[in-house]
Amino acid sequence: MNILFLCTGNSCRSILAEATFNALAPKGMHAMSAGSRPIGEVHPRSIALLKSKGIATEGYYSKSWDNLSSVPDIVITVCGNAADETCPAYLGKAIRAHWGVEDPAKAAGTEADINASFENAYSILRRRIEAFLVLGSDKLANQSELATQLAYIGQLV
């Protein structure tokens, strides 16, 4: 099963989700991330946060949804902009869900405030990924049930 975490810039939230999912997922599940308009680099605070959590960061980079290594079974948008975009035709058969999270790259204030924003985004995404990973095979095999569960998980904070 291939999961695509999609965000417009593919520099923070989608990278956090991709790396976290891959660190936690069992064999046979794989995450990737992409952006509709990638900015071309991963936010340094995203890399620092992942490293602080013991999650490998090698090989993650900001990329376009036109350059994916495989076709996803599930597309999860993690920002509001990407949720409203029309995806490329080859993503048409994928189950779609929206797990919107505030953009930590837009956080302002003290270093502590900005770091807290990144930590909050990571924590929300991790809780949602963990909830996804405990779904039984019966829910994963049924597209309608899976879509329902993904929508529910997207509401977890």
Side-chain angles (χ1 to χ4, degrees):
M1 178 175 285
N2 292 313
I3 316 296
L4 170 62
F5 289 101
L6 185 62
C7 199
T8 307
N10 189 223
S11 70
C12 284
R13 294 163 288 182
S14 52
I15 297 286
L16 290 172
E18 175 187 18
T20 302
F21 188 96
N22 286 333
L24 300 175
K27 185 176 182 182
M29 290 188 173
H30 175 74
M32 53 195 149
S33 70
S36 55
R37 292 183 300 281
I39 65 168
E41 65 184 23
V42 177
H43 197 291
R45 288 183 194 262
S46 293
I47 297 296
L49 177 61
L50 289 167
K51 285 181 178 180
S52 77
K53 302 297 181 184
I55 297 174
T57 59
E58 296 79 30
Y60 294 109
Y61 63 99
S62 178
K63 62 198 151 304
S64 171
W65 60 13
D66 294 325
N67 300 321
L68 297 175
S69 59
S70 59
V71 177
D73 302 297
I74 299 171
V75 175
I76 299 173
T77 53
V78 292
C79 72
N81 293 339
D84 298 328
E85 291 182 334
T86 302
C87 287
Y90 73 89
L91 296 178
K93 294 186 182 205
I95 296 170
R96 293 199 52 170
H98 180 63
W99 291 2
V101 177
E102 295 231 7
D103 188 356
K106 293 183 179 173
T110 66
E111 285 293 309
D113 293 336
I114 296 168
N115 287 336
S117 182
F118 274 83
E119 182 69 39
N120 185 56
Y122 167 81
S123 295
I124 291 170
L125 289 167
R126 183 167 179 132
R127 278 191 290 279
R128 291 174 181 175
I129 290 164
E130 288 172 342
F132 173 84
L133 291 173
V134 298
L135 292 177
S137 58
D138 58 323
K139 290 183 174 63
L140 293 173
N142 180 320
Q143 285 200 342
S144 176
E145 180 64 23
L146 180 55
T148 299
Q149 291 297 317
L150 289 170
Y152 170 75
I153 291 168
Q155 302 304 309
L156 299 176
V157 289

